[in-house]
Amino acid sequence: MPANGNRPLKLQFGLINHEGRYLTAEAFGFKVNASAPSLKKKQKWTLEQDSQDTQVVFLRSHLGRYLASDKDGKVTCEADGQNSDCRFLIVAQSDGRWALQSEQHLRFFGGSRDYLSCFAQLITDAELWAVHLALHPQANLLSVARKRYAHLSMEDGEIAVDMNIPWGVAALLTLVYLDGKYCLKTCDSRFLSNDGKLLTQSGRATAYTLELKCGKLAFKDCEGKYLSPMGPTGTLRSGRCSKPGKDELFDLEESHPQVVLMAANGRYVSIRQGVSLAANQEDETDMETFQMEIDKDTKKCTFRTSQGNYWDLVAHGGIQSTATEVSANSMFSVEWLGHKVALKANNGKYICTKKNGQLLAVSDSIGKRPFSLSFSSTPEDEQLTLKLINRPMLILRGENGFICHHKNSNTLDGSRSVYDIFTLLFSNGAYHIKGVDGRFWYVNSAGLVCSDGEVPEEFTLELLEPGRLAIRGKNGKYLRGDQGGTLKGDGLSLSSSALWEY
């Protein structure tokens, strides 16, 4: 496991045939076809590798069933376990497309629309599939060989691969899918060229085909060479290799939210003064930045420092950054209070701020704590302002697709296969969301979310699940995608349609 403690993202993707249509797993009769024009839920496939033979892969549909081929070339997707008919080999082509060969019967999988089979003895255009990653496009990039993370180095104008923990906005990379190839985009909206330079426009030199080797990714450039970290700082550029070795392999990892917290005294919570947490700093540095890692089951959260330690509840309600592993005392419940948050420790008490800035988990409720403490009781002492710092570029994906502008109106669509990149601007515990045209989101009187506002409107974020957040409008209602895909600001309660990958 790398220093960040993250597991690599499970590779999910869409497969596009020679007619530009996606391989689809239908719920009815577990049938497969290649008819869909875009990548949505039914077009997502998960790649699983055989534990004994890493050359062998299994393709699992969104229904949890496996693609299989019998001796006559008939293709089904109803096997609920991995059997011999489900074993495929990937034969990668020079243009990045895949041919899928049945290991058992040695025939190739292909076809069009409802006429798919695995009976071809030779690879033609009809047996080739382009790979479109279905992951959220923003992630951290880990070099397998160096065990270091990629990040934008502003001073050197390059992507360097020398970070132990992917810290701050510089470590966020966006994979932009264009015509079957991928560009790597930095947090300041520049594209990585194969010579290591960062360019403001994408083009031939910034486009890479993705290759898979032992479950890891390799990026092949337009000259057939592979991206690799070079030199002492690990400058990311194409090397001399025309075959990917360990130096050319990468993992994509989920980018956890990183936040700064301001107490009622107007100071940032910090570890600058030592292991005890205190709200006593006026500026934001790595010492005031904490990574939120949310537990999938309990929805409780750990706060990790840039040194890799966790906040920990110690004797008498003290909070220190001393834990090296996650335990019950390093887990905190987050209560979202509009523009503020309150944190409850494992002792059942809320964290509050003493006059000297020290954080203590001693309050029974917001505004109530033992009289023995030397500060007056106001509700603000338990409330913190939380600011998300590593998503200045916001890409949102819901259960039916990405949020993107409507072509012919000022509303937003939450069910698209392509996405818009929005700008997230912090404003005193809330956020303004700006579109590519410089105009702002707002909720109109009919409850529709519009994207052509001249003046910004406040939205609040709630980071509720691993990789997912909820957004509330100023009316207190959740933003959700309706059944037609339109984004509305009328959600009265939290549902799956109001949770967004970010």
Side-chain angles (χ1 to χ4, degrees), residues 458-469:
E458 287 191 343
F459 293 87
T460 53
L461 304 185
E462 300 177 1
L463 314 180
L464 298 172
E465 293 185 5
R468 283 182 166 84
L469 55 71

Side-chain angles (χ1 to χ4, degrees), residues 442-459:
Y442 63 96
V443 181
N444 74 8
S445 56
L448 295 169
V449 182
C450 302
S451 59
D452 61 344
E454 297 287 343
V455 293
E457 186 167 291
E458 287 191 343
F459 293 87

Side-chain angles (χ1 to χ4, degrees), residues 38-44 62 396-404 413-418 468 480-487 495-501:
S38 61
L39 175 58
K40 293 188 180 176
K41 186 178 178 180
K42 290 181 184 177
Q43 291 74 41
K44 279 187 198 172
H62 68 105
L396 295 168
R397 183 168 73 173
E399 58 182 355
N400 296 314
F402 289 102
I403 293 182
C404 186
D413 189 341
S415 62
R416 296 286 293 278
S417 59
V418 293
R468 283 182 166 84
R480 65 177 186 93
D482 73 4
Q483 292 202 316
T486 302
L487 190 64
S495 64
S496 58
S497 64
L499 285 170
W500 304 94
E501 288 178 61

Side-chain angles (χ1 to χ4, degrees), residues 39 55 94 179 200 229 251-252 256 268 282 310 339 365 367 434 442:
L39 175 58
Q55 297 302 306
S94 58
D179 303 323
T200 53
D251 268 327
L252 281 176
H256 289 290
Y268 290 107
E282 292 184 355
Y310 296 95
H339 289 53
S365 62
K434 190 164 70 169
Y442 63 96

